[in-house]
Amino acid sequence: MRRSFAVVVGAVGAAVLVCAGCSSEPEKGDAPAAGGTPTKTSAPPSSVAPKPTPKPSAVALSVPMYQRALTNVEKVLKPDVARVMNAKTVAAFDAGRAQLAAAVVIERSALAKITPPRGLVSAHPAVLDAFDSYSGSVATNLSKAGETKTSCGLPKAPEVRLYEAKDGVRTAFASLAQSVQTSIGKGVKFGALSVPAKPVAPAVLGGRGENGDVFQRSGPRGSGSLEITNAGDDVVIVIAGSNPRSPQASIYVRANKKTTLSGIRSQDYWVYFKSGTNWDAKNHRFTENCSYQKFDDVFDGSYNWTISLAKTPLGNASSSETESF
């Protein structure tokens, strides 16, 4: 069948193409009629992003729950503290100290994750600061224990070093506990469970000899005597011919005490005296704060003498410092 086409010019000059004898439905792929409603679209359907799930807000602990958290920290730390305090050697102490330091860091991290009660919001950061300060406090308190010699230049006994080391860690841990307790106030407790008792000091620390103890003699005895009045610190009086390391006799005189050394031979002698603290009874010597002196004048062993160890402008016997003996 023959198709015919016509072009119609509208009044407004718009060209419209008319197909005579064509179907009213557009062929596949044809554009929709002007002004019609499109039946297809090439734009992809819009997608809606899901809303993020809000994170739950941290729940503040109650005061009893906060107390329970601190108590649990003490229960964890207590065995490590005990391991340090029960160490029998410096090596065992060092191993225990390292374990305790690591445990303090771990427990501090655990406490940092909790939300404290409303009344302790400002106190909780101070609690964490107390844990942060522990390592520095240990280093400070162990500085003395790290010394291998006493202030008198003598080798420090292993038991003294171990005691000082334990006391240093104990002091640092007690300081941590005290800082925590001060921060949280009276409503919550920390420290009673984990702070250890003070270690027992070796006998040499704070040791003193007995007043009038003649712990050293050599050679025959004589009839001379030396009366001693001590108004100062504990001293040891040594009488010797020339060398105080080879004395005729040595006697211990406590502070503010009086005693008499008898049996002195009838020959000239010098009077030496040494003072200090931490008397080592086994080795007959002071181990800390030592001072060594002697009277400048020789003593005649044919006479009985009286000396007073006190600095006074009315004294008639001068003294000078000497080498250690």
Side-chain angles (χ1 to χ4, degrees):
M1 179 177 177
R2 187 177 181 180
R3 296 182 179 179
S4 61
F5 294 86
V7 176
V8 179
V9 179
V12 294
V16 179
L17 179 64
V18 178
C19 176
C22 294
S23 172
S24 62
E25 294 182 2
E27 293 183 2
K28 185 176 180 180
D30 291 345
T37 302
T39 58
K40 292 178 64 178
T41 176
S42 62
S46 60
S47 60
V48 179
K51 295 182 178 179
T53 303
K55 294 182 179 180
S57 57
V59 178
L61 300 184
S62 64
V63 172
M65 293 173 66
Y66 190 73
Q67 174 67 81
R68 193 176 304 120
L70 291 180
T71 301
N72 287 338
V73 168
E74 288 204 75
K75 289 181 178 179
V76 171
L77 296 179
K78 184 176 180 179
D80 293 312
V81 174
R83 187 176 296 108
V84 171
M85 303 307 294
N86 294 331
K88 302 300 182 183
T89 64
V90 173
F93 166 83
D94 285 337
R97 176 174 62 90
Q99 288 180 311
L100 175 58
V104 168
V105 172
I106 293 172
E107 294 308 305
R108 189 270 184 205
S109 298
L111 287 175
K113 296 176 183 178
I114 67 175
T115 302
R118 181 176 301 177
L120 294 173
V121 169
S122 59
H124 192 60
V127 171
L128 301 180
D129 287 343
F131 278 77
D132 289 336
S133 300
Y134 173 75
S135 60
S137 181
V138 169
T140 299
N141 284 284
L142 287 185
S143 59
K144 184 177 181 181
E147 299 171 356
T148 58
K149 290 188 176 182
T150 71
S151 63
C152 298
L154 301 170
K156 187 179 291 186
E159 60 269 25
V160 173
R161 290 188 62 197
L162 184 57
Y163 163 78
E164 291 176 344
K166 290 180 179 180
D167 188 59
V169 168
R170 191 262 176 195
T171 299
F173 192 83
S175 177
L176 182 158
Q178 181 60 46
S179 297
V180 171
Q181 187 62 70
T182 301
S183 301
I184 59 182
K186 297 181 179 180
V188 183
K189 296 181 179 180
F190 184 87
L193 181 64
S194 58
V195 175
K198 291 184 177 180
V200 178
V204 66
L205 295 181
R208 301 176 72 187
E210 293 297 327
N211 187 61
D213 177 28
V214 181
F215 57 85
Q216 204 171 30
R217 275 192 186 274
S218 63
R221 299 190 184 187
S223 58
S225 66
L226 180 67
E227 183 180 292
I228 307 155
T229 300
N230 181 19
D233 299 327
D234 285 14
V235 297
V236 168
I237 300 294
V238 173
I239 62 171
S242 59
N243 183 5
R245 295 180 182 273
S246 300
Q248 180 185 157
S250 300
I251 185 172
Y252 194 101
V253 189
R254 285 195 172 190
N256 302 311
K257 294 289 184 178
K258 180 186 291 187
T259 192
T260 299
L261 175 63
S262 57
I264 299 175
R265 295 193 293 271
S266 299
Q267 61 187 48
D268 291 348
Y269 62 87
W270 298 91
V271 175
Y272 296 81
F273 55 101
K274 56 184 176 183
S275 61
T277 58
N278 294 350
W279 176 248
D280 181 355
K282 180 180 179 180
N283 295 295
H284 300 138
R285 62 191 183 187
F286 294 107
T287 59
E288 300 286 354
N289 307 309
C290 298
S291 174
Y292 305 91
Q293 299 183 63
K294 78 166 188 173
F295 282 101
D296 294 329
D297 297 326
V298 69
F299 286 69
D300 186 343
S302 302
Y303 297 91
N304 296 327
W305 296 90
T306 296
I307 60 174
S308 177
L309 301 179
K311 293 183 178 181
T312 170
L314 302 178
N316 60 358
S318 60
S319 63
S320 303
E321 293 184 359
T322 66
E323 295 181 355
S324 62
F325 57 89

